[in-house]
Amino acid sequence: MKHKVLFVLFSLFTFFTTNAQCAMCRAVLESEEGQSTAKGVNDGIVYLMIIPYVLIGGLGILIYMKFSKRQKI
């Protein structure tokens, strides 16, 4: 059980380079010289995408802990 929790935490906080832009954003931002704005927008999209997964995962862990305590009593 401890290994599974560590694996989930590790996978949540380990990010790989991704391209999470829509076609319109990509077309507008690719025309810029330094590409710093494009990288910032891409990072923002990824961070906004992660928040629902963390919330649902936390809720799932709370539900699991609540039901596992009931079985032990």
Side-chain angles (χ1 to χ4, degrees):
M1 176 66 185
K2 185 178 180 181
H3 297 291
K4 290 180 184 178
V5 172
L6 289 175
F7 175 73
V8 169
L9 289 175
F10 179 75
S11 63
L12 282 175
F13 296 111
T14 304
F15 302 104
F16 297 103
T17 304
T18 58
N19 293 320
Q21 295 174 351
C22 66
M24 294 290 287
C25 296
R26 184 187 241 21
V28 170
L29 294 172
E30 279 182 349
S31 63
E32 185 190 7
E33 282 290 321
Q35 297 294 318
S36 61
T37 306
K39 290 178 185 177
V41 169
N42 195 23
D43 289 342
I45 291 169
V46 172
Y47 291 138
L48 287 172
M49 182 181 68
I50 289 171
I51 291 171
Y53 289 108
V54 170
L55 292 174
I56 296 297
L59 183 64
I61 289 171
L62 288 174
I63 291 171
Y64 173 77
M65 291 174 70
K66 186 171 183 162
F67 282 114
S68 67
K69 287 181 181 179
R70 283 188 182 174
Q71 292 175 351
K72 292 180 183 178
I73 294 176

